[in-house]
Amino acid sequence: MNGGLLLSTFNTTAPEWSLKWRLWGTTTSISRQRYNHNVKSLSSSSEAGVNGELRRALLEQVDKELNKGDDRAALSLVKDSQSKPGGLRCFGAAQQVPQRLYSLNELKLNGIETSALLSPKDNTLGTIERNLQIAALLGFISAWNLFDLGPEELLYFSLGIFFLWTLDSVGFAGGFSSLVLDTIGHNISQKYHNRVIHHEAGHFLIAYLLGILPKGYTLSSLEAFQREGSLNVQAGTVFVDFEFTEEISAGRVSAKMLNRFSCIALAGVATEYLLYGYAEGGLSDVNTLDKLLNSLGFTQKKADSQVRWAVLNTILILRRHERARTHLANAMSAGKSVGSCIDVIEKNIDEIDLMIS
C-alpha cells in the first residue's frame, strides 16, 4: 500500500496568534481537501463499479465463445477490450526481466535453487502407490491363508492381475492406475490436493499475464475423465494456443512466443517451489519444454540460458502477484468459469505492478 505524507513548516519566530491562525487555516484546508477527496473517491468508486460491471459482462461473453469452441472470437474480445472502459488491463501486461544469460549464482541471489525446481518427483503419489502395493500383497496373503487357496487358484489369480496390469499399461498407457492414485491422493492428502490446485493456478495466472488466454482447466484425473472421457487426461490447464500452433506449423517460432511458452511451462513447478521450497508435480511440463527446445535446434548452452531466464522471470512475476494467485486458486478450487477466474485476477492486481505501456 502506498501513502503520502504532507509536511508543513512553520516559522517558530512568528507571533503566537499567527501560528494559531496558520494552524486553523491549515485545518480548514485539510477539511476541504478531505471533502474533495471524498467526492473524488465516490466518483472513483462509482467509475470502478461501472467498469467492474462492464468487465463481468465482457467475461460472460468470453465464456460463451470458449464454450462454443470459438477461440479466435474469445481472444478477439479480450484484445479489443483493453483500450475500452471495463477492459482487461492485466492481459499480457506483466512486468518482465530483461532477457539475457543469467548464471546460477544470479538465480541464487534471487532465492532460487533450480535443482529443487527443475527435477520434480511426486513423492506423495509414490508413497501412496507403495502403500497400495503392500496392502494388496498383505490382502492376497491373508485371503490365501483364509480360504486355503491351492496352486491352481494362485495361478489363475496371478494371471488375472497380470492381465489387468497389461491391459492398463498397453491399452490405456497406465491411465487407469494414474486415475486411481490421483483420486486417492486428493481424498487422503490435503497437501497433495492443495498442491495440484496452486500448480494449475500458477499456469493460469502466468499465461494470462503474458498474453495467452486460458480456455479451461481440470484439477484431478477424475474430473478430466468425466469431462473428456479419456483415462489419459490428467489435471491441467488448456489455452487458446492457435497462434503458437500456427508458428509451429510454419516451422518458425518467434522469440516472444517461445518466451511465453517457456514461462507457462515452468509456472506450475515455480508455484510449488515458492509454496513448499521444492516441486513434486510438473515433470511432464519440464520435459515438454526440453523437447521443444531440442526440436528448435537449441544447443545445451542456449537451452540452459532460455530455461534460467524463464525460471527467474516466472518466479518474480509469481512473487509480485501472490495475492492474485492465492485468490485465483480459491476460485479454481470452487470450480469457477474461466471468465470468473480472470475477473478475480483483474480485481487483485494493482496498476503499479503492471507494465507501463
Side-chain angles (χ1 to χ4, degrees):
M1 176 177 282
N2 297 302
L5 178 63
L6 178 62
L7 299 177
S8 297
T9 304
F10 295 101
N11 184 355
T12 56
T13 62
E16 185 177 353
W17 63 266
S18 178
L19 180 58
K20 288 181 179 178
W21 181 86
R22 290 187 183 183
L23 286 172
W24 178 85
T26 303
T27 304
T28 304
S29 177
I30 290 175
S31 297
R32 288 175 180 169
Q33 288 175 4
R34 285 176 178 167
Y35 171 77
N36 292 333
H37 174 72
N38 289 338
V39 171
K40 290 179 180 178
S41 295
L42 287 172
S43 176
S44 177
S45 176
S46 176
E47 182 180 354
V50 171
N51 286 340
E53 290 298 324
L54 290 173
R55 184 177 65 242
R56 283 187 286 275
L58 165 70
L59 290 171
E60 286 179 5
Q61 189 60 38
V62 170
D63 276 336
K64 289 179 181 179
E65 298 298 341
L66 291 176
N67 290 334
K68 290 192 300 184
D70 195 342
D71 293 355
R72 292 180 184 272
L75 183 59
S76 179
L77 282 171
V78 171
K79 289 183 175 180
D80 291 345
S81 77
Q82 291 184 284
S83 59
K84 300 175 183 177
L88 304 177
R89 61 194 173 88
C90 298
F91 184 68
Q95 294 184 32
Q96 302 187 62
V97 298
Q99 188 168 20
R100 62 174 176 83
L101 175 61
Y102 291 92
S103 66
L104 290 176
N105 286 333
E106 286 180 293
L107 267 62
K108 288 181 180 178
L109 288 174
N110 283 278
I112 302 172
E113 289 288 345
T114 54
S115 59
L117 189 152
L118 295 175
S119 301
K121 184 178 180 181
D122 204 328
N123 295 315
T124 303
L125 290 189
T127 300
I128 292 174
E129 184 175 19
R130 286 192 296 273
N131 289 339
L132 285 176
Q133 290 171 346
I134 293 172
L137 179 61
L138 293 177
F140 173 71
I141 293 173
S142 299
W144 189 6
N145 291 328
L146 180 64
F147 297 107
D148 193 23
L149 300 178
E152 186 175 351
E153 288 85 353
L154 176 62
L155 175 62
Y156 289 149
F157 183 82
S158 300
L159 288 175
I161 294 295
F162 180 74
F163 171 76
L164 292 175
W165 178 81
T166 303
L167 178 64
D168 180 47
S169 299
V170 178
F172 302 107
F176 181 75
S177 57
S178 296
L179 172 64
V180 172
L181 285 174
D182 182 73
T183 302
I184 293 174
H186 278 284
N187 282 280
I188 71 171
S189 173
Q190 188 62 43
K191 181 181 177 181
Y192 176 79
H193 179 71
N194 292 337
R195 178 170 64 78
V196 172
I197 293 171
H198 285 281
H199 182 107
E200 295 308 324
H203 283 305
F204 192 115
L205 178 63
I206 290 296
Y208 183 74
L209 293 178
L210 294 182
I212 299 295
L213 180 64
K215 68 176 180 179
Y217 64 90
T218 54
L219 300 178
S220 69
S221 295
L222 180 59
E223 181 184 354
F225 175 69
Q226 291 170 337
R227 289 189 182 183
E228 305 293 334
S230 172
L231 287 173
N232 295 318
V233 180
Q234 297 180 332
T237 305
V238 291
F239 309 97
V240 175
D241 59 353
F242 63 84
E243 294 174 320
F244 177 70
T245 55
E246 286 172 359
E247 290 190 11
I248 289 288
S249 299
R252 193 170 57 182
V253 179
S254 66
K256 182 177 182 179
M257 188 62 72
L258 177 61
N259 289 345
R260 288 173 171 176
F261 182 90
S262 301
C263 293
I264 294 169
L266 297 175
V269 292
T271 301
E272 290 190 36
Y273 175 77
L274 289 175
L275 288 173
Y276 307 109
Y278 60 92
E280 284 194 25
L283 180 60
S284 61
D285 298 331
V286 176
N287 290 339
T288 298
L289 178 57
D290 285 340
K291 290 178 182 177
L292 175 63
L293 297 178
N294 288 333
S295 68
L296 295 174
F298 275 42
T299 63
Q300 189 61 53
K301 181 178 180 180
K302 190 175 180 181
D304 288 344
S305 175
Q306 178 70 25
V307 170
R308 289 175 190 173
W309 170 83
V311 166
L312 179 61
N313 193 50
T314 305
I315 288 283
L316 294 183
I317 294 174
L318 288 170
R319 283 176 178 166
R320 188 179 307 120
H321 302 298
E322 180 181 3
R323 182 181 65 182
R325 183 193 52 74
T326 301
H327 285 284
L328 173 62
N330 292 335
M332 294 174 71
S333 179
K336 299 293 185 180
S337 70
V338 168
S340 296
C341 289
I342 291 174
D343 191 44
V344 167
I345 295 173
E346 293 284 340
K347 288 191 295 188
N348 286 281
I349 290 183
D350 297 326
E351 290 277 355
I352 195 171
D353 292 325
L354 296 176
M355 176 181 63
I356 305 300
S357 56

